[in-house]
Amino acid sequence: MGLYMNKLINFIVGSTLILLITGCDDKSISLSEEDYGVLDNGILIKQYIFENDNQMKVKIINYGAIVVSIEVPDKNGKINDVVLGYDSIDGYVQDPSYFGAIVGRVGNRISKGKFSLDGKDYALAINNNENHLHGGIEGFNKKVWTPEITELNGLPALKLTYLSPDGEEGYPGNLNLEVTYTISNKNELIIDYFGTTDKATILNPTNHSYFNLSGEGNGDILDHVLKINADYFTPVDKGLIPLGNHESVLGTPMDFLKPKKIGERINNDDNQLKVGLGYDHNWVFNNWDGTLKLGVTLFEPESGRFMEVFTTEPGVQFYSGNFLDGTNIGKNQKAYQYRSALCLETDHFPDSQNNSNFPSVVLRPGEEYKQKTIYQFSTK
Ligand code: GLA
């Protein structure tokens, strides 16, 4: 590996702070900051804009640690924004669908909001029928995070920190979570998570971006070709709570071991697809050992856009946008229709604390929670 010399340039243009990192290969990545919007309580939310030399541009706000947009080229160099979102802060404040946000403390469902830890029973906020979903009534997706522009592995980075107080939504312990976003010149969006607590608690955050590789608002995702490196998934009951077992994907519509169109079997008369109203399940990655591995690939044939998802996590919740119904009015007043985007939420399995055979989501004082997930974009 050659010597990589970084030049870090930090300057202010008007009210915009620009951080520019130049490598000796003449490639540069900039990160700038601008005002985004004001909450009803008067708090000013900032937007952070990453840009690289390969036509990738990513916007993030410190409300919900939300990824607002990801612009990447298609095979002909045409730029599209490939994630759903809104045009202003009000859209995100009212959003019921977790567009682009970090969800937590625990992503996905916890059965009846109940769990025990070290012999103590906890009751969490109930916000999804009789269950707890995505951190509760006011999860991390609705919080103001403290932003800091920094540098990570030679790249400009945005570190967003949220201190979740003891008892919030019923969870024990003061939990400190840092989510650091970076982009690279290989068109990667890199997300690093780091968490600590002062009392034993449970933590399982993820990013809830809705992807459509044709461009947001541009049709459904049924022709997207998906591959998931998982021999097993975790079947669910009618409340979408895992039954606790691992079931083989072989011979079922859950089999994405070889690349397959999402629409190919989504309307199959399969019991799991019926309860999920489509795909809304956790897949169990093969050979999980906590190191960064390629777990999922997604290809959209017309644009040629290809996305690879690398993660340190044991599973992924693949959700095919089954609750989108045209009522989310998104960017440029577009109504986001049924299955017009999909989520690939890398994390531990839903309801882990109530299933002792699932990898643990417990975090104790003195321990460090770490997750790394990369969404990498290219074309073919
Ligand atoms: C997750 C869940 C879905 C749904 C969406 C948000 O992916 O698994 O059931 O709640 O979030 O609408």
Side-chain angles (χ1 to χ4, degrees), residues 96-98 108-109 128 133-134 208 210 240 280 317 319 323 343 345:
S97 309
Y98 308 88
N108 213 273
R109 292 175 181 76
N128 188 251
L133 175 69
H134 292 331
H208 208 298
Y210 284 68
L240 298 185
D280 194 352
Q317 182 80 14
Y319 165 60
F323 297 121
C343 303
E345 304 154 50

Short mmCIF file of all heavy atoms in Angstrom, two decimals, residues 96-98 108-109 128 133-134 208 210 240 280 317 319 323 343 345, ligand 1:
data_model
loop_
_atom_site.label_atom_id
_atom_site.label_comp_id
_atom_site.label_asym_id
_atom_site.label_seq_id
_atom_site.Cartn_x
_atom_site.Cartn_y
_atom_site.Cartn_z
N PRO A 96 -44.41 8.53 9.86
CA PRO A 96 -44.69 7.36 10.67
C PRO A 96 -43.88 6.13 10.25
O PRO A 96 -44.05 5.06 10.82
CB PRO A 96 -46.18 7.11 10.35
CG PRO A 96 -46.33 7.57 8.93
CD PRO A 96 -45.30 8.65 8.69
N SER A 97 -43.01 6.29 9.25
CA SER A 97 -42.40 5.12 8.59
C SER A 97 -40.90 4.97 8.80
O SER A 97 -40.29 4.10 8.21
CB SER A 97 -42.70 5.18 7.09
OG SER A 97 -44.07 5.37 6.85
N TYR A 98 -40.30 5.83 9.59
CA TYR A 98 -38.87 5.73 9.94
C TYR A 98 -37.96 5.95 8.73
O TYR A 98 -36.86 5.39 8.68
CB TYR A 98 -38.57 4.36 10.60
CG TYR A 98 -39.47 4.04 11.76
CD1 TYR A 98 -40.69 3.40 11.57
CD2 TYR A 98 -39.13 4.41 13.06
CE1 TYR A 98 -41.54 3.14 12.64
CE2 TYR A 98 -39.96 4.13 14.14
CZ TYR A 98 -41.18 3.50 13.90
OH TYR A 98 -42.01 3.23 14.97
N ASN A 108 -36.90 -3.10 15.43
CA ASN A 108 -37.94 -4.10 15.25
C ASN A 108 -38.69 -4.41 16.56
O ASN A 108 -38.65 -3.62 17.49
CB ASN A 108 -37.42 -5.37 14.59
CG ASN A 108 -38.50 -5.97 13.71
OD1 ASN A 108 -39.31 -6.74 14.20
ND2 ASN A 108 -38.54 -5.59 12.45
N ARG A 109 -39.37 -5.55 16.60
CA ARG A 109 -40.37 -5.77 17.66
C ARG A 109 -39.85 -6.52 18.88
O ARG A 109 -39.02 -7.42 18.75
CB ARG A 109 -41.57 -6.53 17.07
CG ARG A 109 -42.33 -5.69 16.07
CD ARG A 109 -43.45 -6.44 15.40
NE ARG A 109 -44.11 -5.56 14.43
CZ ARG A 109 -43.61 -5.24 13.24
NH1 ARG A 109 -42.45 -5.75 12.84
NH2 ARG A 109 -44.25 -4.40 12.44
N ASN A 128 -47.04 -0.82 18.80
CA ASN A 128 -47.36 -1.56 17.58
C ASN A 128 -48.30 -2.69 17.96
O ASN A 128 -47.83 -3.75 18.37
CB ASN A 128 -46.06 -2.09 16.94
CG ASN A 128 -46.28 -2.69 15.58
OD1 ASN A 128 -46.18 -3.89 15.42
ND2 ASN A 128 -46.58 -1.88 14.59
N LEU A 133 -42.14 -1.50 19.12
CA LEU A 133 -41.47 -1.46 17.80
C LEU A 133 -40.49 -0.29 17.73
O LEU A 133 -40.83 0.84 18.09
CB LEU A 133 -42.53 -1.31 16.69
CG LEU A 133 -42.01 -1.12 15.27
CD1 LEU A 133 -41.34 -2.39 14.73
CD2 LEU A 133 -43.13 -0.70 14.32
N HIS A 134 -39.28 -0.61 17.22
CA HIS A 134 -38.30 0.43 16.86
C HIS A 134 -38.07 1.47 17.96
O HIS A 134 -38.03 2.68 17.71
CB HIS A 134 -38.75 1.16 15.58
CG HIS A 134 -38.69 0.31 14.34
ND1 HIS A 134 -37.82 -0.73 14.16
CD2 HIS A 134 -39.42 0.36 13.19
CE1 HIS A 134 -38.00 -1.27 12.96
NE2 HIS A 134 -38.97 -0.64 12.36
N HIS A 208 -32.78 2.69 8.98
CA HIS A 208 -34.05 2.32 8.35
C HIS A 208 -34.24 3.05 7.01
O HIS A 208 -35.34 3.54 6.72
CB HIS A 208 -35.20 2.62 9.32
CG HIS A 208 -36.39 1.75 9.15
ND1 HIS A 208 -37.14 1.72 8.00
CD2 HIS A 208 -36.97 0.85 9.98
CE1 HIS A 208 -38.13 0.86 8.15
NE2 HIS A 208 -38.04 0.31 9.34
N TYR A 210 -35.00 3.54 3.12
CA TYR A 210 -35.86 2.87 2.14
C TYR A 210 -35.23 3.06 0.77
O TYR A 210 -35.18 4.18 0.25
CB TYR A 210 -37.25 3.52 2.11
CG TYR A 210 -38.17 3.16 3.25
CD1 TYR A 210 -37.92 3.59 4.54
CD2 TYR A 210 -39.33 2.43 3.01
CE1 TYR A 210 -38.79 3.29 5.58
CE2 TYR A 210 -40.22 2.13 4.05
CZ TYR A 210 -39.94 2.56 5.32
OH TYR A 210 -40.80 2.27 6.34
N LEU A 240 -45.96 -10.54 13.82
CA LEU A 240 -44.59 -10.38 13.31
C LEU A 240 -43.52 -10.57 14.38
O LEU A 240 -42.41 -10.02 14.30
CB LEU A 240 -44.40 -9.03 12.59
CG LEU A 240 -45.26 -8.81 11.35
CD1 LEU A 240 -44.90 -7.50 10.66
CD2 LEU A 240 -45.10 -9.95 10.35
N ASP A 280 -41.18 -9.21 5.29
CA ASP A 280 -40.96 -8.41 6.49
C ASP A 280 -40.42 -9.35 7.54
O ASP A 280 -41.06 -9.62 8.56
CB ASP A 280 -42.28 -7.74 6.93
CG ASP A 280 -42.06 -6.63 7.95
OD1 ASP A 280 -40.91 -6.48 8.42
OD2 ASP A 280 -43.03 -5.91 8.27
N GLN A 317 -33.21 -7.48 8.52
CA GLN A 317 -34.65 -7.42 8.34
C GLN A 317 -34.88 -6.88 6.94
O GLN A 317 -34.57 -5.72 6.64
CB GLN A 317 -35.29 -6.49 9.39
CG GLN A 317 -36.80 -6.39 9.31
CD GLN A 317 -37.53 -7.57 9.98
OE1 GLN A 317 -36.92 -8.33 10.74
NE2 GLN A 317 -38.81 -7.72 9.72
N TYR A 319 -37.53 -5.73 4.49
CA TYR A 319 -38.92 -5.27 4.54
C TYR A 319 -39.25 -4.68 3.16
O TYR A 319 -38.56 -3.77 2.70
CB TYR A 319 -39.04 -4.22 5.66
CG TYR A 319 -40.29 -3.38 5.61
CD1 TYR A 319 -41.55 -3.96 5.70
CD2 TYR A 319 -40.21 -1.99 5.48
CE1 TYR A 319 -42.70 -3.18 5.64
CE2 TYR A 319 -41.35 -1.21 5.44
CZ TYR A 319 -42.59 -1.81 5.51
OH TYR A 319 -43.71 -1.04 5.45
N PHE A 323 -46.22 -1.54 3.96
CA PHE A 323 -47.14 -0.59 4.60
C PHE A 323 -47.19 0.74 3.87
O PHE A 323 -47.95 1.63 4.24
CB PHE A 323 -46.76 -0.37 6.07
CG PHE A 323 -46.88 -1.61 6.92
CD1 PHE A 323 -45.78 -2.11 7.59
CD2 PHE A 323 -48.09 -2.29 7.02
CE1 PHE A 323 -45.88 -3.26 8.36
CE2 PHE A 323 -48.19 -3.44 7.79
CZ PHE A 323 -47.09 -3.93 8.46
N CYS A 343 -36.36 -1.92 2.66
CA CYS A 343 -35.37 -1.67 3.71
C CYS A 343 -34.52 -2.92 3.91
O CYS A 343 -35.04 -4.04 3.81
CB CYS A 343 -36.05 -1.33 5.03
SG CYS A 343 -37.13 0.09 4.92
N GLU A 345 -32.38 -3.76 6.96
CA GLU A 345 -32.00 -3.31 8.29
C GLU A 345 -31.08 -4.34 8.93
O GLU A 345 -31.54 -5.39 9.38
CB GLU A 345 -33.26 -3.11 9.13
CG GLU A 345 -34.27 -2.16 8.51
CD GLU A 345 -35.70 -2.44 8.97
OE1 GLU A 345 -35.95 -2.55 10.17
OE2 GLU A 345 -36.57 -2.58 8.10
C1 GLA B 1 -39.81 -2.56 9.98
C2 GLA B 1 -40.86 -3.54 10.39
C3 GLA B 1 -42.08 -3.36 9.56
C4 GLA B 1 -42.57 -1.94 9.64
C5 GLA B 1 -41.47 -1.01 9.23
C6 GLA B 1 -41.85 0.43 9.42
O1 GLA B 1 -39.17 -2.94 8.84
O2 GLA B 1 -40.41 -4.86 10.36
O3 GLA B 1 -43.06 -4.26 9.97
O4 GLA B 1 -42.95 -1.65 10.95
O5 GLA B 1 -40.32 -1.24 9.95
O6 GLA B 1 -43.04 0.75 8.82
#
